[in-house]
Amino acid sequence: MKTATADPATAARPGLLTRTKRSYDRHWYAWAMVLPVVLVVGVLVAYPLGRGLYLSFTDADELNVAKQLGATEIPATYRFVGLDNYRRVLSGADGEFYPKLLWTVVWTASCVFFHYTIGLGLALLLNRRVRGRSLYRVLLVLPWAVPAFVATYVWRMMYNSESGVFNAVLGLLGVGPVDWLGDTFMQKAAVVGVNVWLGVPFMMVAVLGGLQSIPGEQYEAAEMDGAGAWQRFRHVTLPGLRPVSATVILLGTIWTFNMFPIIYLMLGEANAMHSEILVTYAYRLAFGSVRDYAGAATYGILILSMLLVFAVLYRRTPARREAAR
């Protein structure tokens, strides 16, 4: 009498604990290497993130959090308010979220656009065989090597309305001084200029690496087919740079969206009321004159959520286009 044998396709799949144990037995060295990183990430990222998420559901501020006054310990009295903070912010009741979101989007889009286009142009120049190419590369990478806070303070002195370099040059041309860091529009133009100066070297280096990975045979074949310089750039260079471009634009968007030091150090806390981006406003809520920890945590979670949604949609769009082809 024949006995029925279990079909491998319909056999019960091992449980999560069983699969984890098998993975550990087979790759215990990999687990041992990853464990310290997991612990560090858990302490430095997961706990603050979880704490911030919890505070965003409360009404915590400097008046009702736990305090230590000498030998006296005052317990926390803040309470759970659910989604009230998110409802207040997203409904526009605070009057700050949507104007600052609009400026943050404009700031991010303009900076990343100039980062990529200027970086691409410089990379194309450095990819050619020119005399002193190594020296040019070092000089163009220098802004990236300078710490952001040092570069910011140098540019702040250059933008000074009384003794700055830019107004001195305008004076030589017969043009009156410009209040670079006082007028709202000029503030925004100034911080975009500084951030572009700091961010172009990274884009240039990344795109240059992408250019050097494109096989030269593709350019030779296109040239033999009669393609001009623009056609070679459009049909060979840009498609060849697509993987690198997608990655650096995504990273540049995330970094610029959260670029705290440029705005805060260039303009100061009191002078940047109308030029703040979301992350600097969240900082002011948490550490300003009236410390609204719940409001700052709410802004932080919203910023994280927007960036996660953007990253997921951004990565899925090229994949869908490739699948459609």
Side-chain angles (χ1 to χ4, degrees), residues 17-294:
L17 292 177
T18 303
R19 296 199 307 272
T20 303
K21 186 177 183 303
R22 290 178 181 176
S23 177
Y24 177 78
D25 292 339
R26 183 178 303 176
H27 306 293
W28 62 268
Y29 55 90
W31 284 81
M33 296 289 287
V34 169
L35 182 60
V37 178
V38 173
L39 293 176
V40 171
V41 170
V43 172
L44 298 181
V45 177
Y47 173 75
L49 180 61
R51 180 65 176 171
L53 180 62
Y54 169 72
L55 289 177
S56 69
F57 295 117
T58 68
D59 62 349
D61 57 30
E62 64 177 338
L63 299 178
N64 55 26
V65 296
K67 304 180 184 66
Q68 184 75 33
L69 299 178
T72 305
E73 182 176 349
I74 302 176
T77 58
Y78 57 82
R79 56 191 178 84
F80 186 82
V81 296
L83 297 175
D84 286 353
N85 292 323
Y86 294 96
R87 190 178 300 110
R88 176 177 56 85
V89 172
L90 295 177
S91 66
D94 67 341
E96 298 288 349
F97 178 72
Y98 289 106
K100 286 178 171 47
L101 174 61
L102 176 61
W103 162 231
T104 303
V105 171
V106 172
W107 147 268
T108 303
S110 57
C111 288
V112 173
F113 172 78
F114 287 118
H115 284 165
Y116 185 78
T117 53
I118 298 176
L120 174 61
L122 293 174
L124 289 171
L125 292 175
L126 292 179
N127 197 41
R128 298 174 176 269
R129 297 185 180 276
V130 295
R131 191 184 185 95
R133 181 172 59 175
S134 299
L135 177 61
Y136 296 148
R137 289 181 180 179
V138 172
L139 293 177
L140 290 171
V141 169
L142 276 179
W144 191 28
V146 177
F149 74 94
V150 175
T152 302
Y153 279 120
V154 171
W155 278 89
R156 184 172 180 175
M157 289 187 291
M158 294 170 64
Y159 279 127
N160 187 280
S161 58
E162 298 178 358
S163 58
V165 173
F166 294 119
N167 279 344
V169 173
L170 291 177
L172 294 176
L173 298 176
V175 180
V178 176
D179 190 6
W180 297 99
L181 302 181
D183 178 73
T184 299
F185 176 79
M186 298 310 300
Q187 284 180 350
K188 295 178 177 180
V191 293
V192 168
V194 175
N195 194 51
V196 169
W197 182 81
L198 286 171
V200 162
F202 168 76
M203 288 288 184
M204 180 193 70
V205 171
V207 173
L208 181 59
L211 287 173
Q212 294 177 346
S213 68
I214 301 176
E217 293 81 1
Q218 295 185 9
Y219 290 102
E220 295 175 1
E223 192 171 359
M224 292 179 61
D225 290 339
W230 169 249
Q231 292 174 319
R232 293 196 300 271
F233 174 77
R234 180 181 176 185
H235 297 290
V236 178
T237 302
L238 290 182
L241 288 176
R242 189 173 293 130
V244 173
S245 299
T247 301
V248 296
I249 289 175
L250 176 60
L251 292 176
T253 300
I254 295 173
W255 292 340
T256 306
F257 202 91
N258 288 325
M259 182 57 70
F260 174 83
I262 303 300
I263 302 290
Y264 187 80
L265 297 179
M266 274 286 294
L267 305 178
E269 185 174 351
N271 198 30
M273 301 292 288
H274 301 291
S275 303
E276 287 180 316
I277 57 177
L278 289 174
V279 67
T280 57
Y281 180 69
Y283 174 85
R284 184 156 65 87
L285 284 177
F287 301 102
S289 56
V290 178
R291 300 188 175 186
D292 182 5
Y293 301 121

